[in-house]
Each structure stands twice: as structure tokens, then as C-alpha cells.
Amino acid sequence: MGRFKKLCAVVYLLSCVVALGTFAASLFGPAAGRVEALLDKPAFRIVLAVCLVICALQALWVLLRVIIERPEPDCVRIDAAGEVQVALTAIESVARAAAREEDVLVEEVRGRITGRDSSGVRVAIDAIALTEAGLDDVAQRMRQRVEAALETMLGTPAASVRVRFLPSKTTTVTREV
């Protein structure tokens, strides 16, 4: 999450705390008289109005995102008309098969459809290297093979591939008898 988004989230949460706290304190509890005294002051009313506007804007933003949000595409459209579509699972399967390499275990292959017309795909490959030598060359070979396989499958260079090596998860347990 970017810094701006974090700042907006913090401002929104603080505004919600002020607005809800004021409302709850005015209805319940022993502080109702103090809250009424605060509400008589114009500065506090302005702060409360700003907090309510921030909460309302956030609610409107969420509502618009829910209404406008498009579903995540699950097929790559090869031609502009969209008559030829390739499923994301097929692309991930071809990428997994092309990514096989000696001394490398392919942990996970994730694909994501990109572009306004759903004509591109990003493939992320997480692998575990069983050797430490020449990882850059191995990653480059894997990336080139996957891109070539997907270009052959789709008939167009529409894929970008990222290979990431994860740390080895194996542990050795010794026990004396």
C-alpha cells in the first residue's frame, strides 16, 4: 500500500473514531453532558462536520467501487473481436510445463490477465533452486522458455514472465541413538 493510501486510511479511521465516539458518548454513559458542552462550541462542531464528511466520502467511494468494479477476467482474448479466448488455467499449465528446469522445483505459477481488452498476460513463477550457482542464468532461461511457449500457444507475444527464487524450505533433523 502506498504512502498516500496509508495516510488516507489513517485519516478515515481517525474521523470514524471521532464521529462514532461523539455519537456514542452523547447517547450513552456519564459523559453525555460533557459531549453536549463540546457540541455547543463552534470549533468542535466544525471538526465533527469535517469528520462526518470524510466518513461520507469514504462510504461513497466504496459504493462506487462496488458498483463500477469489473470482474477479474479469466480468459485472454487473442484477437480484437474476442472470438478466440484462452483460459488462464491453460496458460498457467503451459507456463508450468515450460518452466521445468534441472535442479529447480517450480513451487507456484500465477497468471494475471492484463490490458483493457484482456489481450495480455503476466505470469509469475515462484521456484526453489536446489543449487546456488548461476541463478540469474537459470531464471533467464526459464523466462525465455515460458515466453516462447506462451507465444507459440497464443500466436502472439502477449506474455510477460517474472521468475522469483524462494528460499529452500527443507530442514535436516539429526538424532543420536
Side-chain angles (χ1 to χ4, degrees), residues 27-148:
L27 291 180
F28 311 109
R34 292 181 188 163
V35 172
E36 287 178 18
L38 278 175
L39 286 173
D40 289 338
K41 297 181 181 179
F44 185 75
R45 282 196 308 243
I46 291 171
V47 168
L48 188 59
V50 168
C51 290
L52 290 173
V53 166
I54 290 172
C55 291
L57 288 175
Q58 178 66 21
L60 182 64
W61 172 253
V62 169
L63 179 67
L64 288 175
R65 293 272 313 230
V66 167
I67 291 172
I68 296 174
E69 183 179 9
R70 297 183 316 188
E72 188 76 25
D74 60 348
C75 292
V76 175
R77 291 182 165 80
I78 295 175
D79 58 348
E83 295 173 1
V84 179
Q85 297 180 356
V86 179
L88 188 59
T89 54
I91 290 172
E92 289 173 350
S93 177
V94 167
R96 181 178 291 279
R100 288 190 180 127
E101 178 81 24
E102 189 175 318
D103 293 335
V104 173
L105 298 173
V106 177
E107 179 78 15
E108 184 179 12
V109 177
R110 292 180 313 277
R112 185 168 190 271
I113 308 298
T114 60
R116 280 189 110 32
D117 57 351
S118 300
S119 63
V121 65
R122 280 194 194 125
V123 177
I125 300 171
D126 292 340
I128 297 173
L130 301 177
T131 62
E132 295 294 324
L135 289 182
D136 291 336
D137 295 333
V138 172
Q140 186 69 17
R141 282 195 314 263
M142 286 173 65
R143 188 180 65 77
Q144 288 173 351
R145 276 199 319 270
V146 171
E147 284 178 352

Side-chain angles (χ1 to χ4, degrees), residues 18 43 121 173:
V18 169
V121 65
V173 177

Side-chain angles (χ1 to χ4, degrees), residues 1-2 13-14 17 20 25-26 30 32 43 53 55 78 85-86 98 105-106 109 124 151-152 158 162:
M1 185 182 275
L13 290 174
L14 289 175
V17 166
L20 289 175
S26 67
V53 166
C55 291
I78 295 175
Q85 297 180 356
V86 179
L105 298 173
V106 177
V109 177
E151 184 176 344
T152 302
R162 180 181 59 99

